[in-house]
């Protein structure tokens, strides 16, 4: 991106944000070619409509409750996960009936979240790895994300590559390159940190230290997918569907954390 285009991007972001205090320098995540192998992407890419044919995009509250009688949820007074900023502690977890969980999403603030739980066997066939993008990749984990409007995972990074597939509602994702790692002030000084809690940033999107850092932003709609390479910092905010406040996503991760570690040496 040339200097003029970068300045126009910053000015556009200021207009959208409505405040000069919000971190500028956010450009749109580029659209990727799904015919390329995922391993060839060194930076994030969005694939519009990549998963629109998935049966998972037709999930309803009723079909989810039938397939999953119960779900394991994280609880947060602040609406942030996996660490509750209101208490400064990891979010407590419990198993609840799925119908009760979905009702809670409709009724109030985002205090419960199915936060990256392993996708149950009953739903695996609804989320096939997209080809040719993931041809030759061995998906190590498929994770389920169910939340209400406003739920947020603050800046953090993952060790595997991630393909975040949006099924219901929308998600806004802000991303920063691993080169800004020190500015993020992660919870753990070890590189790389092995637990999700340790990979959370000590800074936030509006922090002064990020002002001027070049980031990316994207809003995922149902059927879209976002590829995030290993180590990229990202914050994710759920935007629930207007009818039922539900935001549903599935994440495909590869390689396994153990196999990903050598890339960080």
């Amino acid at each position: 991106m040339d200097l003029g285009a970068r300045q126009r991007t910053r000015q556009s972001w200021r207009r959208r944000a409505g405040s000069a205090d919000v971190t500028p320098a956010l450009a749109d995540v580029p659209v990727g070619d799904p015919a390329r192998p995922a391993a060839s992407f060194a930076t994030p890419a969005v694939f519009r409509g990549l998963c629109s044919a998935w049966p998972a995009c037709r999930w309803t509250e009723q079909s989810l409750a039938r397939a999953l009688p119960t779900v394991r949820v994280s609880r947060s007074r602040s609406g942030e996960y996996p660490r509750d900023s209101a208490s400064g502690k990891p979010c407590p977890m419990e198993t609840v009936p799925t119908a009760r969980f979905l009702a809670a999403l409709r009724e109030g603030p985002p205090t419960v979240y199915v936060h990256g739980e392993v996708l149950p066997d009953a739903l695996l066939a609804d989320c096939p790895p997209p080809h040719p993008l993931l041809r030759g990749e061995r998906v190590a984990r498929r994770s389920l994300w169910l939340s209400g409007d406003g739920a947020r995972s603050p800046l953090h990074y993952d060790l595997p590559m991630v393909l975040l597939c949006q099924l219901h509602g929308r998600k806004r994702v802000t991303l920063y390159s691993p080169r800004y790692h020190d500015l993020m002030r992660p919870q753990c000084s070890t590189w790389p940190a092995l637990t999700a809690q340790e990979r959370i940033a000590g800074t936030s999107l509006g922090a002064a230290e990020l002002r001027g850092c070049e980031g990316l932003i994207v809003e995922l709609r149902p059927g879209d997918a976002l590829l995030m390479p290993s180590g990229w910092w990202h914050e994710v905010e759920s935007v629930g569907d207007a009818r039922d406040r539900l935001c549903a996503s599935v994440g495909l991760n590869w390689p396994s954390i153990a196999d990903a570690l050598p890339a960080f040496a």
Side-chain angles (χ1 to χ4, degrees):
M1 181 183 293
D2 61 35
L3 180 59
R6 187 171 299 156
Q7 290 172 337
R8 289 192 295 274
T9 298
R10 290 173 179 166
Q11 292 165 357
S12 172
W13 172 249
R14 288 194 186 100
R15 288 194 298 270
R16 282 183 285 162
S19 169
D21 293 333
V22 177
T23 304
L26 292 176
D28 292 334
V29 171
V31 174
D33 178 2
R36 285 175 52 188
S40 69
F41 289 87
T43 58
V46 63
F47 304 91
R48 298 296 185 189
L50 181 68
C51 304
S52 57
W54 275 12
C57 286
R58 298 188 293 276
W59 286 346
T60 64
E61 290 191 14
Q62 293 74 22
S63 65
L64 280 172
R66 284 195 302 269
L68 305 174
T70 62
V71 287
R72 195 165 77 134
V73 303
S74 299
R75 290 196 174 274
S76 168
R77 287 183 290 146
S78 66
E80 292 188 0
Y81 303 84
R83 179 180 291 272
D84 185 356
S85 61
S87 66
K89 298 178 181 179
C91 297
M93 306 185 72
E94 63 179 292
T95 299
V96 301
T98 301
R100 189 202 306 171
F101 162 73
L102 294 171
L105 299 186
R106 293 193 302 271
E107 293 168 359
T111 57
V112 286
Y113 198 158
V114 176
H115 191 268
E117 294 297 306
V118 174
L119 187 68
D121 291 344
L123 300 177
L124 283 176
D126 290 348
C127 309
H131 294 294
L133 183 66
L134 296 191
R135 182 175 294 141
E137 300 290 354
R138 183 178 178 182
V139 175
R141 177 186 173 101
R142 276 179 272 190
S143 53
L144 178 64
W145 307 79
L146 302 174
S147 62
D149 186 68
R152 190 167 66 92
S153 295
L155 284 166
H156 64 285
Y157 67 95
D158 296 312
L159 299 183
M161 292 189 76
V162 178
L163 186 69
L164 180 63
C165 303
Q166 190 63 21
L167 310 175
H168 198 82
R170 293 169 290 145
K171 272 188 171 166
R172 296 192 186 104
V173 188
T174 307
L175 305 104
Y176 286 96
S177 166
R179 72 176 183 268
Y180 297 124
H181 181 87
D182 290 343
L183 295 179
M184 297 294 176
R185 296 186 289 108
Q187 302 288 335
C188 178
S189 59
T190 301
W191 170 256
L194 299 183
T195 70
Q197 295 288 336
E198 293 173 326
R199 294 195 296 271
I200 299 173
T203 190
S204 60
L205 287 183
E209 54 262 50
L210 294 186
R211 200 161 294 146
C213 295
E214 295 181 4
L216 299 170
I217 190 167
V218 67
E219 181 169 283
L220 300 177
R221 301 183 292 270
D224 293 344
L226 172 65
L227 179 66
M228 294 182 282
S230 304
W232 273 75
W233 289 88
H234 54 285
E235 176 165 310
V236 185
E237 181 178 4
S238 299
V239 182
D241 184 90
R243 295 165 298 172
D244 52 24
R245 297 176 60 87
L246 174 65
C247 181
S249 313
V250 164
L252 281 64
N253 296 17
W254 73 96
S256 66
I257 289 180
D259 290 339
L261 283 174
F264 291 84

